Amino acid sequence: MFEMDLPVVTDGQVPLGELLSRVAQGTYAELVELAETLPNMSDAARKRTLADWVVKTKKQIVKLYAVMKWARDADTVQTCMNQQFLDVIDRLTYAKESLDLARLRNHDLLTSLDVLTSGTYQRLPSAIKKPFIPPRPLTDAEVIKTLKAVEDTIRYRLRMTEIIPVEMSQHRIAGGRVHFNVPKLFEASICLRGAEKDDGWFFVSVKFLFRVGGDATGNREFPQEPTGPLKRHIADEADARMAYYLPFPETEDGPPNIERTERPQLPEGAIDAPLVRLYNFLQMMSLSYQLEILWYQAQRMRSLGWADYLKVEMLNNRKTLFVSYWLRPSQNIPGRPPMRSRIGLPPHGGTLTISIVESRATQQAGGGPARTPVARMLADLQKAAKSGESRPSDEVEGLKFDVVWEPMRGTLGVNINQEEAMATVGHLEVDPENLDFEGVLVRVIHAHTRLILSNFQSQLQNGPTRNNESFADDEPGDYHQLRVHLCADEVAVISVDTRTGRMNLRDTGDLAAAGRWPRFATITDGLNESPNKLLDTLSRLRLLTITDSVEQKAKYLGFQVFRHRNFSNEELRKLGPSARGTIYIQLARFPSHYLVLVITEEDFRYALISVKVLTDSMFANMIMEDIGWLDIRRIRDDQGVGTPGEVVIGPLNSQVSQRRKQQVDASTRDVLREDSFKLDTQTLRELYAYCCARVAYTRVELQLKRRGIPYIHVNPASSLPPSELSHIQSSLARSVPALCVQSSDILSGAPAAEAAMPNIRVIPLNWWSDKKAQVVTCVKLKYVQQPVGKRAAARATNNIIRPSKRIVYDATEAVVSFLSENVDACVDEFLEEWARVSKMVVIAREVARMGKERKWQDVRLLSFDLQTVEFAYAADYTVSISCTDQLSPTGGSFELRFSRSAPTFRPTHPASLAPPPIPVSLRPPRTNPHEEAEPYLRQILRHGPLATSLYRLVGLLRDTLPVVVELDHMITVAREQAGWSRSNTIAKCSVDEPWFDTFVKGLGWWRVLYGDLRHALDLRLMADKRIAILDASRSLFQRSPGPQTEGVTESLAFQPIPDFRDLVTEAVRTARPPGVANKERVAVIDIGVVCEGESVGAVLRVLHERVLKKLKAQAIR
């Protein structure tokens, strides 16, 4: 046979040309598609798509290249295939030839002889006869008799020996079998195999008791009575379970060489309970059948549009139906790790689990299946009667459906408590009379929807925006929705789709129909991606609705309105933390000023701002130079709501809404809520007109705002400045409220702020006139202080003095008025002047009180003119106090000038409160010895409250006066003895210079240094007006040095005064001889002496003379 005679076989082969054409066409089509789609992609997407296409196409081209290589050997491949055909032909020929040698088996001679002799077959098996020779049928009487015998046997077995589960107690015997009826599970019939004790039961039929609900087409898919293979499977399994402990039937004929397995043996002390096993099996079959029906219904729901939002699984060997609803669409890209939601949204909304579980009774109830007390008692009686002390081989399995609903935490941004969820949905169960998975799922979803909407409603009514969205309610019925009041007649409706679990937002207002649906569609998509932003989204929607309404009214009035201006975020924060949106109306006469409608959570807030364009910025950014808040009720003279003129205006005004809430009661708040954001055109026109009048005040207010000083508006007619300034009042200015600030705010950190009354008035004047603008600041002092002294009396007119051009003091009303010619710096000028005046006022007041409160009769006020205070603190010793540089970071400084008053008497001013001067000695006036301690004394006034510091200063001056007087006397006597005079104390420095010197060491500390510079006396002021005179080498705060430190003390510090203790004793004895009465006490201590009162002078004088004499004598030696 030749190769060319064989047919060409192309089975499973493709022409090479067709393959090449298809690959080329496919590559070209993909290139055309890429050319159209790549321009619309981002750069990263284009690169990724192009790289994927190149890799895929390269694989196809490589495969095609390999095929082309193999195509060159096509003839060889065809030859190989032809060789295979040739081999097959040879094999068939060999088989034909081999069959000819086959032979028939030997003839059956024995069977032939039987037929010939007897006429029939003698050796055929009986199995061959039965199919051809039918048995004799039983008669009706025999059938009835047999059935009655079987029924009697069944009845006997059931009543005497068989353990019947209590659940199968409903049964009837008829037709030779027993029919068991278990409500809501099954109805089964069985029969006995025989009347012997070991004859078991066999299964006859079963009917599952359930009804398929929902779609009627399910009834045909799930018959109650199984037929065909399903019935045979149930029958075989039921028979096997009932005969579990029965031996196999004995048969002579069996398969050879096969060992039959033995049946399990009953445990010791147990009796067989086949009906219990039958009940357990059929119970599981019935529940599994119902669970499969529910699974089928769930799968049918997926095919009817729920596939993308419903996941159905059978778990735990198909004993658990696990359903996840409200699945979120996956946004994962193939070949890349799964993407997680930015806010952690769960992959599905919740789960519904229907499981077949075993219900067991508690140990206290005796264990076993869960039964009622009556059923448990019947089971115990049956067991005692039929089994005695034996136990059944099997126990009843109390199976039931367990339905668990678990809403996922974070679904649509809501965390639902499991207990609250179960309380809302109620008891979930599977009703065999109505197997409807869709009904159970929809019930769960409706409960989930109610909980979500209730949570949203709670957030709206109790959350941060409760004052605005507190009009939310729930729509009754199966379709749940939430109606949120936005403003006026605008209402937004929130609902949750039952199938997809997505939120839907729609509008029901008058303007909702055609123009807003794209906005609501976009908002709905954003809400489903980030449901936790519901409150923010509703706030934005509410803001957009309010903005549209106001913008329409402003354009109707012909105003230039803007929604946005080129402000930075920092500038926008100046409108307050409660601002949610702004509308800018530019004033036509003042282009740099805007009426700003600030949209808050509760209502509009109105502000007047002035702006400045930053010319050096790239985008011409603006900044807010001034912000003034307006009270619409005061402007419109609406006395029914709120208190007119009581609006607090601060730097950021974060306290405005809080103070208003405190002033408005609950009923008024309800009225405000109903009327919120109802702005008519007339009110908007009045606001615009009022802003034009308020522009003039912004410069003064701006200074207060820059310093963070709150202020209120008051009626200037009720609080005019002093009569000296009344002539500059303007009638136009009286129609605009003045400014009132709190002293605690404007004087915060300023000196002597406690001297001013709480309210300070700031009144701009001459603003609309041709004169230069001025600002007068009126401060009422807490007490009336009359002017004292020649300067004050010379400048006083009707108890009104003018110590300077910018200060006017009304002594009758205790009002100080500060006049500023520069409006832009009026606050700074006021604070600078107040820093000087207030301290002087406090000092003058306290000096006037000292004589009565401390009983210092010789303390008297000598001069007071708001700039300087001069007073005598003891006899003719006086001090003059003034302050400078009060706005410096260090708090300014005080200047103290000490002097001695003249001995002549001065007439007292009639209105002065100072006591008459006390006569002093007629000696020539000298300098005040306290002058040397002035650098230390001035620091006292800078620590603590000024009044307290002043008392401490005067007390220190009075307590140390005996010391400084005696020291001054000592140095004066020494100089006079040495031939010195006051005119040449510095020019003459000779050997006749005093052999000691005195100087101030510190506050309340003086030192007498002797000529050898190795010995000195220290005078220290102690508590209770005591003066300690000490050896400078010793200290009150140092223990006496030991023997090892004496050498160091001699070389590095003062040396102890020789015989100092004896000198002190002699000095005290000389200054205070025995028997002389003296109230002041003197105490000698180891290192010196402590004196009290005026006795320090005499003791110091005597001790100094003895020490000086001792040291001079020692120096001569």
Side-chain angles (χ1 to χ4, degrees):
M1 182 177 295
F2 297 95
E3 187 176 317
M4 59 184 306
D5 296 335
L6 296 174
V8 178
V9 179
T10 60
D11 186 20
Q13 300 180 7
V14 178
L16 181 62
E18 184 178 352
L19 177 63
L20 182 62
S21 175
R22 287 186 178 182
V23 172
Q25 291 177 2
T27 304
Y28 177 75
E30 291 178 356
L31 283 173
V32 171
E33 183 179 358
L34 287 176
E36 295 177 355
T37 58
L38 285 179
N40 298 328
M41 299 182 183
S42 62
D43 183 65
R46 284 198 299 270
K47 293 179 180 178
R48 183 174 64 252
T49 304
L50 190 59
D52 295 342
W53 180 84
V54 168
V55 172
K56 183 186 69 174
T57 307
K58 181 181 178 181
K59 292 180 181 179
Q60 297 295 331
I61 299 300
V62 170
K63 292 179 183 178
L64 182 62
Y65 177 73
V67 172
M68 295 294 294
K69 288 290 186 180
W70 282 100
R72 293 181 300 180
D73 301 330
D75 295 338
T76 304
V77 174
Q78 186 66 37
T79 301
C80 294
M81 295 181 61
N82 293 338
Q83 183 63 38
Q84 291 179 355
F85 280 105
L86 292 175
D87 293 342
V88 171
I89 292 173
D90 293 341
R91 296 282 183 176
L92 291 176
T93 303
Y94 175 77
K96 177 178 176 298
E97 293 176 354
S98 299
L99 287 177
D100 293 339
L101 302 177
R103 296 290 185 268
L104 295 174
R105 73 187 185 93
N106 295 332
H107 298 284
D108 189 4
L109 298 178
L110 295 178
T111 304
S112 302
L113 292 175
D114 291 338
V115 173
L116 290 175
T117 57
S118 61
T120 182
Y121 294 96
Q122 299 294 332
R123 295 175 177 85
L124 288 178
S126 60
I128 298 177
K129 298 180 180 180
K130 290 180 180 180
F132 297 97
I133 302 175
R136 184 180 65 85
L138 296 176
T139 62
D140 293 342
E142 291 176 342
V143 171
I144 294 173
K145 180 180 178 181
T146 302
L147 292 178
K148 286 183 177 181
V150 172
E151 291 175 359
D152 293 340
T153 303
I154 292 174
R155 189 175 293 107
Y156 176 81
R157 290 275 294 269
L158 293 179
R159 291 181 179 179
M160 301 303 296
T161 62
E162 292 293 343
I163 302 297
I164 305 175
V166 177
E167 291 78 6
M168 295 174 60
S169 57
Q170 297 183 12
H171 64 273
R172 59 184 178 85
I173 300 174
R177 66 191 71 174
V178 57
H179 301 268
F180 294 100
N181 185 4
V182 181
K184 298 183 179 181
L185 286 179
F186 60 86
E187 182 179 347
S189 61
I190 59 175
C191 185
L192 280 174
R193 297 181 183 272
E196 298 296 332
K197 181 180 180 181
D198 295 336
D199 292 336
W201 301 84
F202 66 91
F203 177 81
V204 178
S205 64
V206 67
K207 178 181 180 181
F208 295 108
L209 304 179
F210 63 82
R211 178 181 297 176
V212 180
D215 191 0
T217 58
N219 294 328
R220 296 189 300 271
E221 300 291 339
F222 305 101
Q224 290 182 302
E225 298 184 10
T227 59
L230 178 59
K231 182 178 180 181
R232 287 197 299 272
H233 168 72
I234 296 175
D236 294 341
E237 185 66 22
D239 293 341
R241 289 178 180 269
M242 288 188 292
Y244 186 72
Y245 292 110
L246 296 179
F248 288 106
E250 296 181 359
T251 56
E252 297 180 356
D253 298 334
N257 301 327
I258 296 179
E259 294 183 1
R260 180 175 298 179
T261 59
E262 296 183 358
R263 293 279 193 178
Q265 298 297 324
L266 278 172
E268 184 178 356
I271 62 173
D272 191 12
L275 297 184
V276 174
R277 293 192 294 273
L278 176 66
Y279 171 76
N280 292 338
F281 169 68
L282 293 180
Q283 176 186 224
M284 175 58 73
M285 287 297 299
S286 177
L287 295 179
S288 299
Y289 198 9
Q290 297 179 30
L291 191 64
E292 292 291 337
I293 295 173
L294 296 177
W295 174 82
Y296 174 82
Q297 293 177 341
Q299 294 290 353
R300 184 175 180 83
M301 290 181 63
R302 283 175 49 85
S303 64
L304 296 178
W306 290 66
D308 296 335
Y309 311 101
L310 192 66
K311 181 179 179 181
V312 181
E313 298 178 280
M314 290 291 284
L315 307 175
N316 193 19
N317 197 17
R318 301 190 72 84
K319 293 182 180 179
T320 301
L321 175 61
F322 187 80
V323 179
S324 303
Y325 60 91
W326 289 356
L327 298 179
R328 293 182 59 82
S330 177
Q331 300 179 356
N332 299 332
I333 300 176
R336 296 194 177 187
M339 299 175 58
R340 297 185 62 183
S341 176
R342 289 179 297 177
I343 61 172
L345 291 178
H348 50 270
T351 58
L352 180 63
T353 306
I354 304 177
S355 305
I356 300 176
V357 297
E358 185 176 359
S359 177
R360 303 288 296 179
T362 61
Q363 294 297 332
Q364 297 178 353
R371 291 169 174 168
T372 62
V374 176
R376 191 179 301 111
M377 181 181 63
L378 292 177
D380 294 340
L381 291 175
Q382 180 183 208
K383 179 181 176 181
K386 295 181 179 181
S387 61
E389 296 181 356
S390 302
R391 68 179 186 277
S393 60
D394 299 273
E395 290 186 358
V396 176
E397 299 175 357
L399 302 180
K400 67 174 184 178
F401 279 118
D402 182 33
V403 184
V404 178
W405 170 47
E406 184 178 359
M408 297 298 294
R409 295 181 63 85
T411 303
L412 294 181
V414 176
N415 294 329
I416 298 176
N417 189 3
Q418 182 68 21
E419 297 180 357
E420 181 184 0
M422 297 309 298
T424 302
V425 75
H427 180 63
L428 292 175
E429 62 180 3
V430 177
D431 186 9
E433 298 296 331
N434 183 21
L435 293 177
D436 185 9
F437 175 79
E438 182 178 1
V440 177
L441 181 62
V442 170
R443 176 184 173 186
V444 166
I445 291 178
H446 282 172
H448 200 170
T449 303
R450 285 197 302 271
L451 289 173
I452 291 175
L453 295 180
S454 298
N455 187 277
F456 289 161
Q457 180 177 354
S458 177
Q459 294 181 32
L460 295 176
Q461 293 179 342
N462 304 319
T465 58
R466 59 184 179 274
N467 292 328
N468 297 320
E469 280 98 9
S470 58
F471 302 98
D473 56 357
D474 193 3
E475 184 73 15
D478 293 336
Y479 185 74
H480 305 282
Q481 61 184 10
L482 205 61
R483 301 174 62 86
V484 182
H485 179 262
L486 298 178
C487 67
D489 298 331
E490 297 293 330
V491 176
V493 179
I494 304 174
S495 60
V496 179
D497 189 274
T498 304
R499 179 173 61 95
T500 63
R502 291 173 57 87
M503 277 191 294
N504 295 322
L505 189 65
R506 57 188 179 88
D507 193 2
T508 60
D510 296 336
L511 304 178
R516 296 188 184 179
W517 71 266
R519 175 189 298 175
F520 278 85
T522 304
I523 292 176
T524 300
D525 294 339
L527 275 179
N528 287 283
E529 292 298 328
S530 301
N532 59 333
K533 298 180 179 179
L534 174 64
L535 298 182
D536 296 337
T537 301
L538 290 176
S539 298
R540 290 196 301 270
L541 177 61
R542 186 167 177 266
L543 176 63
L544 291 175
T545 305
I546 296 170
T547 304
D548 292 342
S549 176
V550 175
E551 186 178 18
Q552 181 182 8
K553 292 181 175 64
K555 290 183 177 180
Y556 173 78
L557 294 174
F559 297 155
Q560 186 71 22
V561 61
F562 303 92
R563 290 195 179 189
H564 304 282
R565 294 274 76 187
N566 200 11
F567 293 117
S568 63
N569 292 333
E570 295 180 356
E571 292 295 320
L572 293 177
R573 292 192 190 101
K574 296 180 181 180
L575 296 178
S578 61
R580 297 296 177 264
T582 52
I583 300 176
Y584 303 91
I585 300 177
Q586 189 175 23
L587 303 184
R589 297 182 182 180
F590 308 99
S592 62
H593 291 77
Y594 291 84
L595 167 61
V596 183
L597 278 71
V598 181
I599 304 174
T600 64
E601 297 292 347
E602 295 181 351
D603 205 344
F604 287 115
R605 290 177 60 199
Y606 308 95
L608 175 64
I609 67 171
S610 64
V611 302
K612 178 183 178 181
V613 180
L614 300 178
T615 56
D616 56 346
S617 61
M618 181 181 299
F619 303 103
N621 294 335
M622 294 182 176
I623 61 174
M624 298 183 189
E625 291 187 320
D626 185 23
I627 304 176
W629 298 99
L630 310 177
D631 186 359
I632 184 61
R633 294 185 299 275
R634 188 187 63 82
I635 295 175
R636 298 198 65 186
D637 294 331
D638 188 359
Q639 303 294 334
V641 180
T643 304
E646 294 292 337
V647 180
V648 176
I649 303 178
L652 292 180
N653 252 340
S654 60
Q655 301 176 350
V656 172
S657 60
Q658 297 179 0
R659 191 168 299 181
R660 286 181 179 175
K661 291 178 183 178
Q662 296 175 358
Q663 295 177 353
V664 181
D665 56 5
S667 60
T668 306
R669 188 180 296 112
D670 295 338
V671 175
L672 289 174
R673 183 177 300 168
E674 295 176 359
D675 296 338
S676 61
F677 300 106
K678 288 187 177 181
L679 181 65
D680 53 9
T681 55
Q682 180 62 26
T683 304
L684 187 59
R685 184 184 291 109
E686 293 177 359
L687 278 172
Y688 183 86
Y690 182 79
C691 287
C692 294
R694 275 294 309 273
V695 170
Y697 277 76
T698 55
R699 292 186 180 181
V700 178
E701 295 174 358
L702 182 60
Q703 297 179 61
L704 299 175
K705 293 177 185 296
R706 287 174 179 173
R707 291 180 169 269
I709 302 174
Y711 57 88
I712 62 174
H713 293 163
V714 296
N715 187 3
S718 61
S719 57
L720 296 176
S723 58
E724 289 287 330
L725 304 176
S726 61
H727 66 280
I728 60 176
Q729 286 291 334
S730 172
S731 59
L732 182 59
R734 293 173 182 269
S735 62
V736 180
L739 304 176
C740 180
V741 300
Q742 297 294 315
S743 61
S744 59
D745 296 326
I746 194 172
L747 300 180
S748 178
E754 67 276 4
M757 296 295 283
N759 295 327
I760 297 178
R761 301 190 305 276
V762 182
I763 306 175
L765 304 174
N766 298 336
W767 198 261
W768 291 279
S769 65
D770 296 335
K771 299 179 181 179
K772 185 178 181 180
Q774 298 175 332
V775 176
V776 60
T777 305
C778 302
V779 181
K780 184 176 180 59
L781 304 179
K782 291 185 178 179
Y783 62 93
V784 178
Q785 177 61 53
Q786 297 293 342
V788 179
K790 295 181 179 180
R791 296 175 57 190
R795 298 177 180 179
T797 304
N798 297 327
N799 286 338
I800 295 177
I801 64 173
R802 302 194 63 160
S804 65
K805 181 181 179 181
R806 298 188 299 178
I807 299 177
V808 179
Y809 177 53
D810 187 350
T812 304
E813 299 293 336
V815 175
V816 182
S817 301
F818 301 88
L819 185 63
S820 176
E821 300 289 343
N822 186 2
V823 179
D824 295 329
C826 62
V827 177
D828 293 337
E829 293 180 1
F830 161 71
L831 293 177
E832 183 177 2
E833 295 295 336
W834 168 258
R836 296 195 185 106
V837 171
S838 60
K839 291 185 177 181
M840 297 300 102
V841 172
V842 172
I843 293 174
R845 177 192 63 186
E846 298 302 327
V847 170
R849 293 178 179 177
M850 286 182 182
K852 297 180 181 179
E853 295 182 357
R854 296 295 179 92
K855 297 182 180 180
W856 294 341
Q857 300 300 329
D858 50 352
V859 177
R860 61 193 184 280
L861 183 64
L862 302 179
S863 176
F864 166 60
D865 60 355
L866 298 181
Q867 300 292 320
T868 305
V869 176
E870 183 179 5
F871 62 94
Y873 57 87
D876 61 341
Y877 293 91
T878 65
V879 61
S880 175
I881 302 177
S882 61
C883 51
T884 58
D885 196 16
Q886 295 303 305
L887 295 183
S888 65
T890 60
S893 60
F894 291 87
E895 291 185 359
L896 305 182
R897 294 184 177 88
F898 293 93
S899 62
R900 301 284 292 274
S901 61
T904 58
F905 296 93
R906 295 183 291 105
T908 306
H909 192 275
S912 175
L913 297 179
I918 300 175
V920 297
S921 62
L922 299 179
R923 61 183 178 179
R926 294 177 294 176
T927 59
N928 194 328
H930 271 124
E931 187 173 0
E932 295 181 0
E934 191 270 344
Y936 300 99
L937 295 174
R938 71 169 67 175
Q939 301 299 327
I940 297 178
L941 297 177
R942 298 183 58 186
H943 296 83
L946 184 58
T948 305
S949 301
L950 181 63
Y951 275 93
R952 190 161 57 250
L953 173 63
V954 176
L956 181 64
L957 292 175
R958 293 174 61 87
D959 294 343
T960 58
L961 184 59
V963 177
V964 297
V965 169
E966 186 59 33
L967 292 176
D968 183 66
H969 175 73
M970 289 165 48
I971 198 67
T972 302
V973 172
R975 287 175 179 173
E976 290 178 353
Q977 292 176 356
W980 282 53
S981 63
R982 292 189 177 273
S983 60
N984 55 4
T985 55
I986 299 177
K988 292 183 179 182
C989 296
S990 63
V991 294
D992 295 332
E993 184 178 359
W995 205 71
F996 69 94
D997 192 12
T998 62
F999 57 90
V1000 181
K1001 186 67 175 177
L1003 190 61
W1005 185 3
W1006 284 263
R1007 174 166 289 174
V1008 181
L1009 181 62
Y1010 293 97
D1012 57 357
L1013 302 181
R1014 301 175 63 184
H1015 300 86
L1017 286 178
D1018 278 350
L1019 290 86
R1020 303 292 292 267
L1021 177 63
M1022 302 176 64
D1024 298 331
K1025 304 179 183 181
R1026 295 175 296 171
I1027 303 296
I1029 306 175
L1030 312 171
D1031 186 352
S1033 63
R1034 308 290 292 276
S1035 174
L1036 289 174
F1037 312 102
Q1038 179 181 2
R1039 295 182 179 179
S1040 60
Q1044 297 180 355
T1045 60
E1046 292 181 357
V1048 180
T1049 304
E1050 292 179 359
S1051 60
L1052 299 179
F1054 290 113
Q1055 295 183 1
I1057 299 174
D1059 302 329
F1060 184 69
R1061 184 175 180 83
D1062 297 336
L1063 297 177
V1064 171
T1065 305
E1066 294 176 3
V1068 173
R1069 187 179 298 112
T1070 303
R1072 298 169 55 91
V1076 179
N1078 198 335
K1079 295 181 180 180
E1080 287 79 6
R1081 292 175 293 178
V1082 177
V1084 179
I1085 59 179
D1086 294 340
I1087 58 176
V1089 62
V1090 178
C1091 304
E1092 185 180 39
E1094 298 294 337
S1095 63
V1096 65
V1099 176
L1100 176 60
R1101 186 182 309 112
V1102 176
L1103 179 59
H1104 166 68
E1105 293 175 355
R1106 279 168 169 68
V1107 172
L1108 183 61
K1109 182 179 179 181
K1110 184 74 173 180
L1111 294 178
K1112 282 185 176 182
Q1114 186 178 2
I1116 294 175
R1117 290 197 302 267

